[in-house]
Amino acid sequence: MTLRQEVRHVSEAADIVPDFEQDSTIGRFRFYDWAGSDWVILFSHPHDFTPVCTTELGTVAKLKPEFDKRGVKVVGLSVDPVDSDEGWAVDIEETQGTALNFPLIADHDRKVSTLLDLIHPNASDTTTVRTVLVIDPGRKLRLTLTYPASTGRNFEEILRVVDSLQLTDAHKVATPASSQQGDDVIILPSVTNEAARALFPNGGDEQKPYLRKVPQPAAAQ
Ligand code: BEZ
């Protein structure tokens, strides 16, 4: 059963990422137990010992303090076995100047990749695509992003999305195109003007009835 099929069973209203277990570089990986009440970024990559992926894993390791600050746990996934992951980790430390500080799911039998739709048969029957999932503490899937195999992902952009999602959850606001921390934000269209006056008593800039901007509330979470 794939994620989309599973979601239909689990919830009519939201894409709930189902629990799973698999081997990993930290032993048996039980997704829900490991995630606890944190946000999760799960990112898949085509294979161990590939050049773009090597740079991505080094970049993610260096960003660990940023993930920690936001209450986000990170986990990588490919279809290689644990001993391959462990050998590759040595290369990552040597070439990227940082040791891996997050687990890798060793999805050797493609059980998790199939469940989460991380293999696209038109790309390859056997290789995971370069996908990022952002999953909230309620296990809801909040972002899916898939890149070409030959393009390394921008993990600062993923952090920007997490900041936006956390602002939305905490303050009922959305974030404009290319917005950065501290920029004005947009009151969610679902918030009535009356509710908006209570939420944002200092007011804001109503450029259109549907485009109501206010200063960014205090840092998310
Ligand atoms: C990689 O490094 O994963 C990669 C690079 C070019 C094409 C496909 C994969």
Side-chain angles (χ1 to χ4, degrees), residues 116-138:
L116 302 183
D117 266 344
L118 300 174
I119 293 181
H120 293 184
N122 291 343
S124 160
D125 281 343
T126 54
T127 299
T128 31
V129 283
R130 201 178 291 293
T131 289
V132 184
L133 307 181
V134 175
I135 303 159
D136 75 14

